[in-house]
Amino acid sequence: SSSSSSSSSSSSMSPSSSSSSSSFLEVAVKVQYPGVAQSIDSDLDNLRTLLRTLPSMLPAGLYVEPLLEAARAELKLETDYHHEAACQTRFRALLSDRPNLAVPRVLPELSTARVLTAELATGMPVERALLHLTQHQRDWLGFQVMELCLRELFEFRFMQTDPNWSNFLLDIGRRPALTLLDFGACRSFAPTFVEPYRRVVVAAAERNAELVHRHSVELGFLTGEENEAMREAHVESVLILGEPFRLDQPFDFARQNVSPRIRSHVPTMAKHRLTPPPQEIYSLHRKLSGAFLLCSKLGARVNCHRLLKQYAE
């Protein structure tokens, strides 16, 4: 998360307004380093200039300009703590039906555009907890991550798109709980994007190459005029992504090889792509790839097929 690299967090104590006695509430305060927000445009413009001096190294199908503009929009939102506070509050309400998922309450009276104050969350960072987790706990955590992704996309149409491990705190007590942190990288998805994307995912899970291609054109991923090499590379990549959702049984993320197989198609797609992906794809696929990676590191076994049927069919 760019916001985590451009800010500092600390815990503090604040007088609690919920009690007439002199009680205190432990809080976490995130303070943005001065000048970070103002440097985004110049940094990205410098990167654009550098990339323009190396045109032979960039395949035509990479479409750098839309990528840079998507990064610019996301980074500016991540440095606006009013935006992050609103997103965190919204997520807290959306997940109120899940007692095993927690979102710290924002204290708006102690927050500004450059300072964010919220209740102090407790728990162990997932990466550190990994050494102590049983297989059952790994499976539980993988399920939470995958279910959250599908709910965000297909139910809420609102997603926290930064899958950084540090954005999760785990309590592995008698009733395991997961606390979600850092809501700067949040965005909404319009129904006009989500519905064709849903059809692509369902077609991939059913291994229907014809429907994957048709719905990819509807989504704007393809023009329909691509050569055979591009069409095959795109469709095969999507079918590979559909594998965790294909069978009604736990998918073993520890044994999957989705990422390297998709990477093998990237050179073809970078060379022959005729149109940039929809703007929403950049942040969405960052989240989904991060969720897959987290489940892989956990060695989680998750019945993704049933999750897809629950939230996308």
Side-chain angles (χ1 to χ4, degrees), residues 228-241:
E228 191 65 22
M230 175 62 200
R231 173 175 171 161
E232 289 185 0
H234 171 81
V235 170
E236 184 58 28
S237 295
V238 176
L239 292 176
I240 292 170
L241 281 174

PDB file of all heavy atoms in Angstrom, residues 228-241:
ATOM      1  N   GLU A 228      -5.537 -15.040 -33.723  1.00  0.00           N
ATOM      2  CA  GLU A 228      -5.751 -16.302 -33.028  1.00  0.00           C
ATOM      3  C   GLU A 228      -4.825 -16.463 -31.823  1.00  0.00           C
ATOM      4  O   GLU A 228      -5.218 -16.994 -30.783  1.00  0.00           O
ATOM      5  CB  GLU A 228      -5.551 -17.469 -34.005  1.00  0.00           C
ATOM      6  CG  GLU A 228      -5.992 -18.817 -33.462  1.00  0.00           C
ATOM      7  CD  GLU A 228      -7.491 -18.888 -33.205  1.00  0.00           C
ATOM      8  OE1 GLU A 228      -8.244 -18.094 -33.818  1.00  0.00           O
ATOM      9  OE2 GLU A 228      -7.900 -19.715 -32.369  1.00  0.00           O
ATOM     10  N   ALA A 229      -3.584 -15.986 -31.948  1.00  0.00           N
ATOM     11  CA  ALA A 229      -2.627 -16.117 -30.846  1.00  0.00           C
ATOM     12  C   ALA A 229      -3.100 -15.350 -29.617  1.00  0.00           C
ATOM     13  O   ALA A 229      -3.043 -15.862 -28.484  1.00  0.00           O
ATOM     14  CB  ALA A 229      -1.249 -15.622 -31.283  1.00  0.00           C
ATOM     15  N   MET A 230      -3.582 -14.122 -29.826  1.00  0.00           N
ATOM     16  CA  MET A 230      -4.066 -13.315 -28.712  1.00  0.00           C
ATOM     17  C   MET A 230      -5.326 -13.923 -28.108  1.00  0.00           C
ATOM     18  O   MET A 230      -5.468 -14.012 -26.880  1.00  0.00           O
ATOM     19  CB  MET A 230      -4.341 -11.884 -29.187  1.00  0.00           C
ATOM     20  CG  MET A 230      -4.965 -10.980 -28.130  1.00  0.00           C
ATOM     21  SD  MET A 230      -3.903 -10.755 -26.675  1.00  0.00           S
ATOM     22  CE  MET A 230      -5.106 -10.205 -25.473  1.00  0.00           C
ATOM     23  N   ARG A 231      -6.230 -14.335 -28.956  1.00  0.00           N
ATOM     24  CA  ARG A 231      -7.479 -14.920 -28.451  1.00  0.00           C
ATOM     25  C   ARG A 231      -7.182 -16.155 -27.609  1.00  0.00           C
ATOM     26  O   ARG A 231      -7.734 -16.302 -26.503  1.00  0.00           O
ATOM     27  CB  ARG A 231      -8.389 -15.280 -29.620  1.00  0.00           C
ATOM     28  CG  ARG A 231      -9.626 -16.055 -29.187  1.00  0.00           C
ATOM     29  CD  ARG A 231     -10.583 -16.299 -30.318  1.00  0.00           C
ATOM     30  NE  ARG A 231     -11.644 -17.226 -29.904  1.00  0.00           N
ATOM     31  CZ  ARG A 231     -12.813 -17.363 -30.510  1.00  0.00           C
ATOM     32  NH1 ARG A 231     -13.072 -16.626 -31.577  1.00  0.00           N
ATOM     33  NH2 ARG A 231     -13.708 -18.224 -30.087  1.00  0.00           N
ATOM     34  N   GLU A 232      -6.334 -17.045 -28.105  1.00  0.00           N
ATOM     35  CA  GLU A 232      -6.034 -18.273 -27.362  1.00  0.00           C
ATOM     36  C   GLU A 232      -5.325 -17.972 -26.049  1.00  0.00           C
ATOM     37  O   GLU A 232      -5.621 -18.593 -25.017  1.00  0.00           O
ATOM     38  CB  GLU A 232      -5.178 -19.207 -28.222  1.00  0.00           C
ATOM     39  CG  GLU A 232      -5.942 -19.842 -29.383  1.00  0.00           C
ATOM     40  CD  GLU A 232      -5.091 -20.839 -30.140  1.00  0.00           C
ATOM     41  OE1 GLU A 232      -3.909 -21.024 -29.751  1.00  0.00           O
ATOM     42  OE2 GLU A 232      -5.595 -21.429 -31.112  1.00  0.00           O
ATOM     43  N   ALA A 233      -4.382 -17.028 -26.061  1.00  0.00           N
ATOM     44  CA  ALA A 233      -3.651 -16.694 -24.838  1.00  0.00           C
ATOM     45  C   ALA A 233      -4.591 -16.116 -23.788  1.00  0.00           C
ATOM     46  O   ALA A 233      -4.514 -16.469 -22.602  1.00  0.00           O
ATOM     47  CB  ALA A 233      -2.527 -15.713 -25.152  1.00  0.00           C
ATOM     48  N   HIS A 234      -5.483 -15.227 -24.211  1.00  0.00           N
ATOM     49  CA  HIS A 234      -6.419 -14.614 -23.271  1.00  0.00           C
ATOM     50  C   HIS A 234      -7.386 -15.653 -22.711  1.00  0.00           C
ATOM     51  O   HIS A 234      -7.564 -15.754 -21.486  1.00  0.00           O
ATOM     52  CB  HIS A 234      -7.210 -13.497 -23.959  1.00  0.00           C
ATOM     53  CG  HIS A 234      -8.337 -12.970 -23.115  1.00  0.00           C
ATOM     54  ND1 HIS A 234      -8.156 -12.043 -22.116  1.00  0.00           N
ATOM     55  CD2 HIS A 234      -9.675 -13.279 -23.099  1.00  0.00           C
ATOM     56  CE1 HIS A 234      -9.308 -11.784 -21.520  1.00  0.00           C
ATOM     57  NE2 HIS A 234     -10.242 -12.525 -22.096  1.00  0.00           N
ATOM     58  N   VAL A 235      -8.005 -16.424 -23.581  1.00  0.00           N
ATOM     59  CA  VAL A 235      -9.002 -17.394 -23.130  1.00  0.00           C
ATOM     60  C   VAL A 235      -8.369 -18.441 -22.222  1.00  0.00           C
ATOM     61  O   VAL A 235      -8.921 -18.791 -21.176  1.00  0.00           O
ATOM     62  CB  VAL A 235      -9.687 -18.060 -24.346  1.00  0.00           C
ATOM     63  CG1 VAL A 235     -10.543 -19.248 -23.895  1.00  0.00           C
ATOM     64  CG2 VAL A 235     -10.552 -17.040 -25.086  1.00  0.00           C
ATOM     65  N   GLU A 236      -7.189 -18.926 -22.590  1.00  0.00           N
ATOM     66  CA  GLU A 236      -6.531 -19.937 -21.757  1.00  0.00           C
ATOM     67  C   GLU A 236      -6.161 -19.366 -20.390  1.00  0.00           C
ATOM     68  O   GLU A 236      -6.297 -20.051 -19.365  1.00  0.00           O
ATOM     69  CB  GLU A 236      -5.299 -20.478 -22.460  1.00  0.00           C
ATOM     70  CG  GLU A 236      -4.590 -21.602 -21.717  1.00  0.00           C
ATOM     71  CD  GLU A 236      -5.473 -22.801 -21.446  1.00  0.00           C
ATOM     72  OE1 GLU A 236      -6.414 -23.053 -22.223  1.00  0.00           O
ATOM     73  OE2 GLU A 236      -5.220 -23.497 -20.434  1.00  0.00           O
ATOM     74  N   SER A 237      -5.718 -18.109 -20.339  1.00  0.00           N
ATOM     75  CA  SER A 237      -5.387 -17.484 -19.057  1.00  0.00           C
ATOM     76  C   SER A 237      -6.615 -17.388 -18.166  1.00  0.00           C
ATOM     77  O   SER A 237      -6.554 -17.656 -16.958  1.00  0.00           O
ATOM     78  CB  SER A 237      -4.797 -16.095 -19.285  1.00  0.00           C
ATOM     79  OG  SER A 237      -3.563 -16.162 -19.960  1.00  0.00           O
ATOM     80  N   VAL A 238      -7.751 -17.011 -18.752  1.00  0.00           N
ATOM     81  CA  VAL A 238      -8.983 -16.901 -17.965  1.00  0.00           C
ATOM     82  C   VAL A 238      -9.443 -18.276 -17.491  1.00  0.00           C
ATOM     83  O   VAL A 238      -9.893 -18.432 -16.346  1.00  0.00           O
ATOM     84  CB  VAL A 238     -10.082 -16.204 -18.797  1.00  0.00           C
ATOM     85  CG1 VAL A 238     -11.399 -16.173 -18.016  1.00  0.00           C
ATOM     86  CG2 VAL A 238      -9.666 -14.783 -19.155  1.00  0.00           C
ATOM     87  N   LEU A 239      -9.322 -19.277 -18.346  1.00  0.00           N
ATOM     88  CA  LEU A 239      -9.703 -20.633 -17.943  1.00  0.00           C
ATOM     89  C   LEU A 239      -8.838 -21.133 -16.783  1.00  0.00           C
ATOM     90  O   LEU A 239      -9.326 -21.828 -15.874  1.00  0.00           O
ATOM     91  CB  LEU A 239      -9.594 -21.584 -19.130  1.00  0.00           C
ATOM     92  CG  LEU A 239     -10.609 -21.372 -20.265  1.00  0.00           C
ATOM     93  CD1 LEU A 239     -10.318 -22.312 -21.421  1.00  0.00           C
ATOM     94  CD2 LEU A 239     -12.045 -21.569 -19.764  1.00  0.00           C
ATOM     95  N   ILE A 240      -7.565 -20.780 -16.807  1.00  0.00           N
ATOM     96  CA  ILE A 240      -6.679 -21.159 -15.699  1.00  0.00           C
ATOM     97  C   ILE A 240      -7.145 -20.499 -14.405  1.00  0.00           C
ATOM     98  O   ILE A 240      -7.197 -21.134 -13.340  1.00  0.00           O
ATOM     99  CB  ILE A 240      -5.225 -20.764 -16.021  1.00  0.00           C
ATOM    100  CG1 ILE A 240      -4.675 -21.617 -17.173  1.00  0.00           C
ATOM    101  CG2 ILE A 240      -4.332 -20.924 -14.792  1.00  0.00           C
ATOM    102  CD1 ILE A 240      -3.334 -21.134 -17.711  1.00  0.00           C
ATOM    103  N   LEU A 241      -7.515 -19.217 -14.490  1.00  0.00           N
ATOM    104  CA  LEU A 241      -8.005 -18.517 -13.299  1.00  0.00           C
ATOM    105  C   LEU A 241      -9.295 -19.122 -12.762  1.00  0.00           C
ATOM    106  O   LEU A 241      -9.606 -18.994 -11.574  1.00  0.00           O
ATOM    107  CB  LEU A 241      -8.234 -17.036 -13.635  1.00  0.00           C
ATOM    108  CG  LEU A 241      -6.997 -16.135 -13.667  1.00  0.00           C
ATOM    109  CD1 LEU A 241      -7.372 -14.748 -14.160  1.00  0.00           C
ATOM    110  CD2 LEU A 241      -6.358 -16.041 -12.284  1.00  0.00           C
TER     111      LEU A 241
END
